[in-house]
Amino acid sequence: MPVNLLNLAASGYGNLYPDFVGGTPGKAEPTDPAYRAYFARNVQFNALTPVLGFGQGPWRFGDDVAADARKLALWHDSLHPYIYDAVLDGHASGFPYAMTPLHLAYPADERTYGLVDESTRRYEWMLGESLLAAPVWGADFATATGQDVYLPAGTWIDVNTGERHEGPVTLTDHEVARGDVPAFVGGKGVLVRRVEAGSSDRLLAQVFPVTRDSVYSYGDGKRTSRIVNANAGWHAESLKVLDTTTGRAVDFSVDPVTGAVGFPLRAGHDYRLVGGRS
């Protein structure tokens, strides 16, 4: 599945669906440990693609698997604005922003080539311009707890732990617990999320401390917002987030794990981060 998906993405089609979670198990029962492990890793993989759908009810696999599946499904759901923006960018440009093989995102980095094969199982890609996906997935799903992960140049933040890594670097046997999101924030360093399921109006922008002097453009097909990192640092005491459309400062919060600066985003308004020096 990942080989096929990434081949399709390399042809320029990024809005991909990896088929429903759960597969076709034959006679396997939800109590089978191997099937439970497969389901758990399958949810993690699909949660880092543009479309997540379930073919088997997570509740059939026990409370622990169901809780992990719910966490990942809600995380994916919150990212619908961000994913939709990437799909629209791909439609306009022909570049597969929604699911970008790493060697297309970083073509000058020779180490991004040759990662995707069935023996090393280092399936990595960019979901949008800010999320690097690195799921534990492959024929060893029943026993694997981690894998080697290559991070290109730049700062990358583990979305689960907030741990920072400076690329280029290879993380050897990087462990990912079932239920965690196997991804790193880097690149443009901005996520746009909806703050309640089903809502397209209440948006939260999260700007992660990975880059400066960059511009991220978010669009919903009707309106475009630009977020500019013009800040000198990331210290909350001196940082300001300006709505440059209204000329006013907006309130923001800082995520205690990742350090991401979060603020309400109004589609069609532009924002600028300034200050932040210690």
Side-chain angles (χ1 to χ4, degrees):
M1 178 170 54
V3 173
N4 290 341
L5 284 178
L6 291 169
N7 274 324
L8 284 169
S11 74
Y13 187 81
N15 186 23
L16 296 165
Y17 172 47
D19 207 349
F20 58 73
V21 174
T24 306
K27 296 181 179 180
E29 294 293 331
T31 54
D32 181 348
Y35 189 22
R36 281 166 46 86
Y38 172 84
F39 188 89
R41 293 301 187 188
N42 198 181
V43 178
Q44 284 182 311
F45 178 91
N46 286 31
L48 288 163
T49 67
V51 182
L52 169 63
F54 288 88
Q56 300 283 347
W59 51 88
R60 300 181 63 219
F61 295 83
D63 291 346
D64 55 340
V65 175
D68 289 343
R70 182 178 187 275
K71 172 186 171 183
L72 288 160
L74 290 176
W75 181 82
H76 185 278
D77 182 80
S78 75
L79 283 176
H80 277 194
Y82 170 80
I83 295 171
Y84 187 54
D85 170 64
V87 172
L88 292 176
D89 288 346
H91 175 71
S93 66
F95 188 82
Y97 285 107
M99 189 171 182
T100 314
L102 218 54
H103 68 279
L104 290 187
Y106 295 90
D109 186 343
E110 295 182 358
R111 284 166 289 190
T112 62
Y113 293 77
L115 292 176
V116 180
D117 67 63
E118 294 179 352
S119 58
T120 62
R121 293 181 281 275
R122 295 172 66 180
Y123 305 123
E124 298 182 40
W125 61 89
M126 296 296 294
L127 178 65
E129 296 179 278
S130 303
L131 275 172
L132 188 149
V136 178
W137 183 246
D140 59 347
F141 65 85
T143 57
T145 59
Q147 66 175 12
D148 291 352
V149 175
Y150 178 69
L151 302 175
T155 301
W156 300 90
I157 297 177
D158 187 314
V159 300
N160 301 293
T161 66
E163 186 176 0
R164 297 168 62 93
H165 304 278
E166 296 298 327
V169 65
T170 297
L171 307 182
T172 303
D173 199 22
H174 177 70
E175 291 195 5
V176 179
R178 298 174 189 175
D180 282 349
V181 178
F184 300 82
V185 176
K188 290 292 183 73
V190 178
L191 302 180
V192 176
R193 316 176 80 135
R194 57 187 182 191
V195 295
E196 61 184 44
S199 172
S200 58
D201 297 323
R202 297 185 60 196
L203 300 176
L204 174 73
Q206 288 185 301
V207 183
F208 289 75
V210 297
T211 186
R212 297 178 195 165
D213 302 320
S214 67
V215 178
Y216 178 87
S217 294
Y218 163 79
D220 61 5
K222 300 176 182 177
R223 300 156 295 184
T224 300
S225 295
R226 287 164 55 88
I227 300 174
V228 179
N229 290 62
N231 48 308
W234 297 95
H235 292 272
E237 294 81 3
S238 58
L239 185 70
K240 288 185 178 181
V241 179
L242 303 177
D243 181 335
T244 56
T245 303
T246 64
R248 298 176 180 176
V250 299
D251 292 335
F252 66 89
S253 61
V254 178
D255 186 273
V257 175
T258 64
V261 174
F263 57 90
L265 183 145
R266 294 176 62 184
H269 285 222
D270 296 333
Y271 299 87
R272 188 177 186 88
L273 276 66
V274 298
R277 193 184 300 277
S278 61

